[in-house]
Amino acid sequence: MPSTPIPIEENYHYQLNSKNKFHPAMFYSIRFQIKPFLAEYLYARYAGNIEEGILHLPPHSYLGRSLHELLCPRPYNAPARETGNVCLRLTSLHRGPSPSTYNYLTQANRRIFESRAQHLLHTELFERMLTDRHRRGISYIESIRCFLLKYQIDSISEEGLMKAFYRWRKGLSG
């Protein structure tokens, strides 16, 4: 049985063409489950790129490129609509596979995307913590509190992020 691509969600929006007339432009989106604090972080970090609850990662950002690397053709037995706490818009890149065909993340690829999102969060947080501590004299825990407030993250504790920071710092020393 041939596999036909079934998009998880098709959305139609109207865009101006060169003659200032509206025409429907279709895009695909994918919904899946990641750790709640990462979903909160992504929606807050890219708040300017949210339309109707769908997050549009900039295509040339770290996570945007990662998403396109991880996409694969949808298996014929995959459900047409999936649930999850993050919904990402799939855009067509200038070069590369089309989202009409490559619009599925396997469980393994979802874990990879989740780990890359967590890596991005940790990189931003740890850099802020070190900068605040050494340049401004602000304690690590206060930096974490400010970070959690900035991104409106409620589903992870300050202590959990502090432990992650100490594990990262211990890994640096050897």
Side-chain angles (χ1 to χ4, degrees), residues 1-26:
M1 180 173 170
S3 174
T4 57
I6 301 172
I8 292 177
E9 295 179 18
E10 292 181 0
N11 297 294
Y12 293 91
H13 287 276
Y14 290 89
Q15 298 176 341
L16 283 173
N17 63 15
S18 60
K19 297 178 183 174
N20 293 331
K21 293 186 179 181
F22 286 100
H23 70 282
M26 185 178 68

Side-chain angles (χ1 to χ4, degrees), residues 125-140:
L125 173 61
F126 298 164
E127 183 179 338
R128 177 184 181 143
M129 290 171 68
L130 292 171
T131 302
D132 285 352
R133 175 67 168 240
H134 297 294
R135 291 192 183 159
R136 298 181 186 107
I138 300 171
S139 68
Y140 290 143

Side-chain angles (χ1 to χ4, degrees), residues 5 28 59 64-74 89-105 109:
Y28 294 87
R65 286 190 314 259
S66 293
L67 180 64
H68 281 283
E69 289 173 6
L70 297 170
L71 289 171
C72 62
R74 173 172 291 286
R89 180 178 177 178
L90 303 178
T91 55
S92 185
L93 298 176
H94 180 65
R95 294 181 184 173
S98 168
S100 62
T101 304
Y102 287 80
N103 56 19
Y104 185 75
L105 284 177
N109 288 353

Side-chain angles (χ1 to χ4, degrees), residues 152-168:
Q152 304 165 355
I153 299 173
D154 297 322
S155 55
I156 191 168
S157 67
E158 297 166 0
E159 293 81 22
L161 291 173
M162 185 61 91
K163 286 179 184 179
F165 174 71
Y166 284 130
R167 281 192 302 269
W168 171 78

Side-chain angles (χ1 to χ4, degrees), residues 36-42 44-45 121 125 144-158 161:
F37 73 95
L38 292 176
E40 292 170 349
Y41 170 71
L42 291 177
R45 186 167 198 271
L121 179 141
L125 173 61
I144 291 173
R145 284 186 190 123
C146 291
F147 185 84
L148 292 176
L149 282 173
K150 176 182 177 183
Y151 289 116
Q152 304 165 355
I153 299 173
D154 297 322
S155 55
I156 191 168
S157 67
E158 297 166 0
L161 291 173

Side-chain angles (χ1 to χ4, degrees), residues 24-59:
M26 185 178 68
F27 67 83
Y28 294 87
S29 60
I30 183 170
R31 183 180 298 273
F32 57 97
Q33 187 72 30
I34 60 174
K35 294 175 185 174
F37 73 95
L38 292 176
E40 292 170 349
Y41 170 71
L42 291 177
Y43 275 100
R45 186 167 198 271
Y46 298 106
N49 297 336
I50 297 174
E51 189 176 319
E52 298 176 10
I54 300 171
L55 178 63
H56 178 229
L57 295 172

